[in-house]
Amino acid sequence: MKGLFTAVALLFFFSACKESGVQLSKPSTFAKYFNDGNQDQAIDVLETSDRGFLILSHADSSGGSGGINITKTDLSGNVTWEKFIRRSKNLSAGNLRPSNFVPIKDNTGSDQGYVIVGTEQNNYFGARLFVLRIDINGGFKDSISYQTKQFGDASSYRLGQGEYVFGKGVAQSSNSTNDFFVVGQIVKADLVTPPTDSKGNVLDMFFTQINGNTLDTLFTRTYGGGTAVLANRLYLDYGQTSAYWGGTRADPNGLHMRLIKSGFNTQSTTFDLSYPIGDSGYTGADFCAYGYGFAFIGNHTPQNISVAKVGSEGNLLDTLKIVTKNTLPLVGNSICSTSDGGLLLLASSTVDSQGTNTDYYLIKVDANGGRQWVIAHGGKYPDVGARVLQSSDGGYVVLGTTTLANVKTVFLMKTDSQGNLQ
């Protein structure tokens, strides 16, 4: 099974990480820090069509009205522009916490703007999923927010009633109107507990399609089964007829990695599966497109990173465990597929017994799961990974949050193809 998967992955490869298809020059490297004076948390990063990078982060101000930071850099990590979104015409004052973003592309593949999904939290009405669009220079274009039919107003929220939605992942389709699909997680007024229907079934996943021209809502659906902790990702299949999302499932059988496939505007999901079968205690922190399917990263124990390769129809293809040499925690943060058919894993590695110092930890594995190299980057401060991707020149891009003098700061690093800084 493993050999077949490897052959298929090498014959037809697609990925969230870019591959140019030409001879690559030696990748440039850098390490940069970004902060706007607040407690900034790294969320997501994209390579832009001009080979620069776009960073999405959350600014948590002391006044509780945090917002979105968008930082554009050139290919060397130098800032070309910064934008700060705290509220908009359609988003009332509150904490705007982004989760995921994707480029809006034209028919040549060039970036025309970006769509951001996240959560608008307010002390008076709870939490609503938002979708926000910006232009190619970071200027605000438009936005829309979502709630369930059981959404409570300010008084019901204070009384502990109603349902509230956290935005998680977004994907753009290639149909005539370039529609967006968004997945969210539904919670009760405590913003933690999943809601149930009249039969006691959990319904804690929110899925919607939005017209890419008008932002009109084409459908919304809710699904469930066990308690979900969703990763901030959403993918569409090749035929643009189904969507995939996933993360962690918690139910009486324990914790498992989870993958969901759903058609558009369907009464039920195509499948909702847990991994691995016959064992429990596994979390799914992130997943990426890999071969014809997906690859997950998470943890089994605090010291063991777990990786699972899954086919597009939910069949488990392979699993892998990364075990530390000591008893200190190693937390799986992000994963990306690589141009040689392998995977790059980003983790946060604890380096002291007090747990006050963590490093960025990169693990490269080949198509068979064999470990090729491991390298750590960090100093005497806490470093927590957020995203990893392969750049178009063959190097790797790491996004994370580093705490410097008690101030959370966004960290962007570009390494060579072996994970080194030159």
Side-chain angles (χ1 to χ4, degrees):
M1 180 70 73
K2 182 191 296 183
L4 174 61
F5 177 75
T6 301
V8 168
L10 293 176
L11 282 171
F12 191 88
F13 181 78
F14 79 96
S15 145
C17 311
K18 298 185 178 179
E19 180 182 4
S20 65
V22 299
Q23 184 66 36
L24 299 176
S25 59
K26 185 176 181 179
S28 61
T29 69
F30 61 79
K32 302 283 186 177
Y33 295 92
F34 308 91
N35 184 269
D36 69 345
N38 293 300
Q39 298 287 344
D40 294 341
Q41 181 183 7
I43 302 295
D44 207 349
V45 63
L46 298 171
E47 183 175 15
T48 53
S49 52
D50 63 0
R51 297 183 62 194
F53 302 99
L54 195 66
I55 303 167
L56 180 67
S57 60
H58 176 251
D60 190 0
S61 69
S62 58
S65 56
I68 302 167
N69 289 354
I70 306 157
T71 305
K72 174 68 173 69
T73 78
D74 61 18
L75 57 83
S76 299
N78 301 308
V79 175
T80 57
W81 52 259
E82 295 177 294
K83 300 292 182 179
F84 312 103
I85 301 174
R86 297 298 183 263
R87 63 176 297 167
S88 69
K89 181 179 179 181
N90 294 327
L91 294 174
S92 61
N95 182 14
L96 303 180
R97 182 176 290 274
S99 299
N100 185 215
F101 71 152
V102 295
I104 303 169
K105 293 186 177 293
D106 62 17
N107 56 13
T108 69
S110 296
D111 297 348
Q112 299 300 303
Y114 305 90
V115 58
I116 303 169
V117 67
T119 307
E120 178 191 7
Q121 289 187 247
N122 186 287
N123 291 333
Y124 295 98
F125 62 67
R128 291 188 297 197
L129 181 157
F130 75 79
V131 179
L132 181 151
R133 291 194 291 190
I134 59 175
D135 63 26
I136 192 65
N137 296 311
F140 173 81
K141 291 183 63 177
D142 49 25
S143 65
I144 188 171
S145 62
Y146 287 89
Q147 59 202 47
T148 69
K149 292 181 180 179
Q150 289 73 38
F151 182 82
D153 58 17
S155 59
S156 64
Y157 173 64
R158 289 193 293 269
L159 292 171
Q161 300 171 355
E163 296 178 359
Y164 305 86
V165 188
F166 289 100
K168 303 299 287 186
V170 60
Q172 181 195 8
S173 73
S174 58
N175 65 6
S176 60
T177 52
N178 293 320
D179 293 348
F180 303 107
F181 292 84
V182 177
V183 66
Q185 188 163 336
I186 309 170
V187 292
K188 290 184 178 180
D190 62 3
L191 304 185
V192 176
T193 306
T196 57
D197 62 16
S198 58
K199 298 180 179 180
N201 300 313
V202 172
L203 290 175
D204 62 348
M205 295 183 293
F206 181 93
F207 183 47
T208 187
Q209 180 179 355
I210 305 165
N211 184 288
N213 289 336
T214 64
L215 288 190
D216 290 335
T217 302
L218 301 181
F219 73 80
T220 61
R221 289 286 183 178
T222 57
Y223 304 110
T227 301
V229 179
L230 299 180
N232 297 335
R233 300 278 197 183
L234 181 67
Y235 293 96
L236 303 182
D237 66 355
Y238 293 114
Q240 305 273 293
T241 59
S242 297
Y244 296 86
W245 65 89
T248 305
R249 182 206 302 272
D251 60 22
N253 295 316
L255 292 175
H256 292 89
M257 295 177 175
R258 180 180 195 177
L259 179 65
I260 300 104
K261 178 182 180 181
S262 175
F264 303 156
N265 200 20
T266 56
Q267 188 66 36
S268 59
T269 60
T270 306
F271 63 72
D272 183 351
L273 299 173
S274 299
Y275 312 96
I277 300 171
D279 200 357
S280 64
Y282 292 83
T283 60
D286 188 27
F287 71 111
C288 70
Y290 183 76
Y292 288 112
F294 303 94
F296 281 81
I297 186 173
N299 276 74
H300 185 206
T301 69
Q303 294 79 30
N304 293 354
I305 290 178
S306 295
V307 175
K309 299 176 183 178
V310 181
S312 62
E313 294 307 312
N315 49 312
L316 181 63
L317 300 167
D318 197 7
T319 60
L320 171 68
K321 288 183 181 179
I322 305 294
V323 182
T324 61
K325 294 181 180 180
N326 54 45
T327 60
L328 299 178
L330 179 67
V331 178
N333 302 131
S334 185
I335 187 170
C336 81
S337 48
T338 58
S339 57
D340 61 359
L343 291 164
L344 184 67
L345 318 180
L346 171 63
S348 301
S349 172
T350 302
V351 297
D352 66 343
S353 58
Q354 292 77 31
T356 57
N357 185 9
T358 55
D359 285 345
Y360 301 110
Y361 201 69
L362 293 173
I363 307 158
K364 177 67 174 67
V365 298
D366 62 23
N368 294 315
R371 196 179 310 189
Q372 295 176 289
W373 50 260
V374 176
I375 191 167
H377 293 276
K380 62 180 180 179
Y381 302 105
D383 303 305
V384 179
R387 279 286 190 263
V388 65
L389 59 86
Q390 186 171 29
S391 60
S392 57
D393 65 359
Y396 297 110
V397 179
V398 174
L399 180 72
T401 304
T402 295
T403 302
L404 303 171
N406 295 319
V407 177
K408 291 182 178 180
T409 301
V410 174
F411 174 75
L412 183 68
M413 176 175 65
K414 173 116 178 321
T415 75
D416 64 16
S417 59
Q418 299 299 308
N420 298 304
L421 286 171
Q422 301 297 327

